[in-house]
Amino acid sequence: MRLNEYFMRISDVDPAAVIEKKTQDFQFANPDKVIVRLDLEDDPLPCPDPCTQAMKSALESISHSLMKLPPRQGYPFLTEAISDFYLKRGVKIADSEIFINDGAKCDITALTDLFSDEDVVLITQPFNPIYYSSNLFSSRPIRFVTAKENEVPMPDGLKADVIYLSNPGNPSGLVYSAEQLSKWVEYALINEALIIFDASYEAFVAEGGVRSIYEIEGAAECAVEICSLSKSAGFANTRLGYTVIPNRVVFGSEKLNRLWSRRQRIRFNGVSNIIQRGACAVFTPEGQSLVRERVKLYTDNVRILKKPLISAGLARDLPVNAPYLWFSCPKNESSWSFFGTVLEKAAMTLIPGSIFGAAGEGKMKLSGYTSRENALLAAERIEKFLKEI
Ligand code: PLP
């Protein structure tokens, strides 16, 4: 057997593991220091009570029911709940257009199974590394559109076949206006391209902002939308996400929905009944109110953390639509170098922006996924540290 030679283009280095190692080495050398971590990107709160209660009763019921494979696309009780969730926001999605998965990452990366090796992939910079890496497994050409400072990336007029958009942007935290997103939809329709709309952080979009690409006319003919319960509903550990593939997305004479179904039949076992029962509780009024509480906690943390960075001229005072903040390193320091400086001088960990592609060099990301106490302590340390350097 010969290996897939394209696999060798994927780096063996896991940036999260490098951060972890540097953090542990620092702690070992400085046992008296209390490190404040702003590099952790998963929602740390427990799974909400209504979800764990629903999982407990699902667990009870599997002890006295026949064991069958879960429906590959998801149990109707969950796909219907998600379809209703869209309808409440004025978006019509049939439950047959929703596919339950074990997290957004799996589908974002697996959708590449459907593309030709000749398709030109367009990635908007700075980007979530999985968009890039999952396209390195083949010879597919990749090109980039880089956003201007503090702006969302917009079409550049050049042709592409598959376009990755993230809303709110990870790592930028920026949200498209309906008008800006319409430009991408128009561009995709003209180019007969597919938009992969990563809406994993949609729950963080402030009231009145665009949460779903299907709020835009024409999007149901050219876009797939992917959402996650990891980021705001406590499913980072239990794992659950969903992908919307409207029946009107057609390439050649093939419905993408049918092709994805075929792909899932071969490669996917479905998500366990217990987890899907728990996820269903997220879409009740009580579940949604708990999601809003968590979103408020993390976005308020970001508001606290951004103050000293705004005062130092390293971040702009933009609305907070994400549980993280993207800002510039002072004095043109490189991302990894600044990571080391902050760790050394303030006993704090951040995320180097260069992890998000070349356009992220000289930038940093901090995560608001922490307790209020930690956020306040970190803001104090950032302020003091920025005055000292
Ligand atoms: N999309 C974005 C923008 C992310 O940041 C992440 C994870 O960090 C994912 C998707 C994957 O989410 P999930 O936990 O649902 O796999």
Side-chain angles (χ1 to χ4, degrees):
M1 175 262 201
R2 279 172 300 151
L3 293 169
N4 173 357
E5 61 183 293
Y6 292 107
F7 203 99
M8 307 310 155
R9 302 197 295 176
I10 294 161
S11 167
D12 201 23
V13 179
D14 173 3
V18 176
I19 291 176
E20 198 56 46
K21 169 92 174 54
K22 285 181 187 284
T23 309
Q24 280 175 15
D25 288 351
F26 177 81
Q27 186 71 89
F28 188 72
N30 302 275
D32 53 322
K33 295 250 164 90
V34 179
I35 302 175
V36 178
R37 299 198 63 161
L38 297 182
D39 65 297
L40 304 172
E41 298 196 78
D42 287 321
D43 176 352
L45 285 176
C47 196
D49 248 12
C51 302
T52 51
Q53 289 306 329
M55 288 185 212
K56 276 184 199 157
S57 53
L59 196 56
E60 286 289 313
S61 67
I62 62 165
S63 67
H64 49 76
S65 57
L66 290 175
M67 284 295 92
K68 285 201 286 184
L69 213 63
R72 229 166 275 112
Q73 189 159 347
Y75 283 96
F77 61 76
L78 182 56
T79 51
E80 281 163 19
I82 295 171
S83 168
D84 278 355
F85 176 62
Y86 272 103
L87 199 58
K88 282 191 189 109
R89 290 181 283 143
V91 174
K92 247 183 155 172
I93 299 290
D95 52 341
S96 63
E97 297 173 315
I98 297 164
F99 294 79
I100 307 301
N101 59 40
D102 55 352
K105 181 181 189 170
C106 306
D107 280 7
I108 291 170
T109 54
L111 276 163
T112 54
D113 282 359
L114 304 185
F115 315 152
S116 144
D117 281 358
E118 271 104 58
D119 278 339
V120 176
V121 169
L122 190 154
I123 298 178
T124 50
Q125 288 221 68
F127 55 79
N128 180 344
I130 61 172
Y131 308 157
Y132 179 61
S133 307
S134 56
N135 279 290
L136 290 180
F137 289 107
S138 78
S139 58
R140 203 170 295 126
I142 304 172
R143 62 180 200 82
F144 300 96
V145 166
T146 305
K148 289 194 196 134
E149 185 85 7
N150 297 312
E151 287 183 21
V152 288
M154 294 300 293
D156 60 3
L158 298 177
K159 190 167 161 41
D161 301 297
V162 179
I163 302 151
Y164 289 83
L165 300 180
S166 137
N167 190 72
N170 180 15
S172 72
L174 298 171
V175 171
Y176 281 98
S177 68
E179 196 189 332
Q180 288 166 327
L181 206 48
S182 302
K183 296 245 162 51
W184 276 112
V185 169
E186 200 180 299
Y187 171 87
L189 291 171
I190 290 169
N191 286 291
E192 295 180 12
L194 174 73
I195 294 177
I196 299 184
F197 194 70
D198 182 352
S200 296
Y201 291 92
E202 54 85 23
F204 290 88
V205 175
E207 191 75 29
V210 175
R211 282 178 74 166
S212 165
I213 194 164
Y214 304 118
E215 293 169 38
I216 309 297
E217 207 184 320
E221 275 106 67
C222 64
V224 163
E225 177 161 292
I226 302 162
C227 300
S228 172
L229 299 195
S230 304
K231 307 299 174 190
S232 55
F235 280 70
N237 176 274
T238 44
R239 315 298 312 145
L240 195 124
Y242 54 95
T243 295
V244 180
I245 310 187
N247 285 318
R248 283 188 278 154
V249 179
V250 176
F251 290 93
S253 54
E254 299 285 354
K255 282 186 178 177
L256 210 66
N257 182 298
R258 303 264 313 153
L259 288 184
W260 184 245
S261 221
R262 212 183 292 171
R263 186 266 176 207
Q264 296 294 75
R265 189 179 73 224
I266 294 158
R267 296 228 207 200
F268 188 56
N269 274 325
V271 174
S272 91
N273 175 288
I274 299 161
I275 305 301
Q276 292 198 53
R277 283 274 176 212
C280 210
V282 172
F283 299 98
T284 61
E286 188 189 9
Q288 283 302 297
S289 140
L290 293 169
V291 166
R292 279 194 295 277
E293 268 178 33
R294 297 161 89 103
V295 164
K296 181 160 170 22
L297 169 68
Y298 301 133
T299 49
D300 281 349
N301 282 349
V302 171
R303 287 183 189 97
I304 290 168
L305 289 161
K306 77 174 182 168
K307 275 191 189 145
L309 293 160
I310 293 168
S311 301
L314 301 176
R316 287 261 312 278
D317 193 6
L318 300 169
V320 176
N321 283 293
Y324 43 79
L325 182 72
W326 186 237
F327 63 96
S328 303
C329 303
K331 301 175 183 164
N332 294 324
E333 199 170 344
S334 75
S335 303
W336 275 108
S337 166
F338 190 61
F339 172 88
T341 310
V342 176
L343 183 56
E344 201 57 47
K345 299 206 167 138
M348 250 172 40
T349 53
L350 300 170
I351 307 158
S354 52
I355 290 173
F356 303 92
E361 183 52 277
K363 297 274 190 186
M364 297 303 278
K365 178 179 166 184
L366 63 73
S367 166
Y369 280 135
T370 188
S371 64
R372 178 55 44 79
E373 196 188 0
N374 260 345
L376 289 165
L377 176 62
E380 244 175 61
R381 284 197 195 178
I382 295 171
E383 190 174 0
K384 183 163 175 284
F385 159 78
L386 289 173
K387 279 188 183 139
E388 282 169 7
I389 57 166

